[in-house]
Amino acid sequence: MTAPDAEPAPAGPGGPEPSGPAGPSPADRELSVRERAVLALERRSWAGPGAKERAIREELGISPVRYFQLLNALIEDERALREDPVTVNRLRRLRAARRERR
């Protein structure tokens, strides 16, 4: 099953709030279905080598390289931090620790 890269449906009965001619700013948008799926996959624990990569391909329909590109962008995204602060902060700490070791 692949997760589409579509935006979520507008919230509320009246649709999205007007926010100018260009639509909502990126900071006001909610995370896409794919972005939420990436965070959900990252929250899970993995039994052995290759299990995570297999799940990335099967559940998201993308390569592990693309997955980690998306994940690294999400680590910096304030929307992701609001959505899942525990996971995003854990990933930020791991990244900082790796940088310190270099």
Side-chain angles (χ1 to χ4, degrees):
M1 181 176 114
T2 61
D5 202 12
E7 292 299 316
E17 293 292 320
S19 58
S25 70
D28 293 337
R29 287 188 308 118
E30 290 189 20
L31 294 177
S32 70
V33 172
R34 177 178 278 177
E35 290 167 330
R36 289 175 193 268
V38 167
L39 286 175
L41 198 75
E42 197 58 34
R43 278 193 298 269
R44 293 167 39 188
S45 60
W46 303 100
K52 183 175 186 177
E53 288 77 9
R54 187 171 39 258
I56 290 167
R57 290 184 190 282
E58 291 174 1
E59 295 176 26
L60 300 178
I62 59 177
S63 72
V65 170
R66 181 66 183 141
Y67 170 84
F68 286 108
Q69 290 171 340
L70 293 169
L71 182 62
N72 284 326
L74 277 173
I75 291 172
E76 296 301 322
D77 194 327
E78 291 302 313
R79 296 172 303 138
L81 183 61
R82 286 191 304 268
E83 176 80 21
D84 190 350
V86 173
T87 301
V88 172
N89 283 324
R90 177 179 57 84
L91 294 169
R92 286 178 176 181
R93 283 191 306 272
L94 289 170
R95 182 181 60 188
R98 278 193 301 270
R99 285 181 178 168
E100 286 178 13
R101 285 194 304 259
R102 291 182 188 169

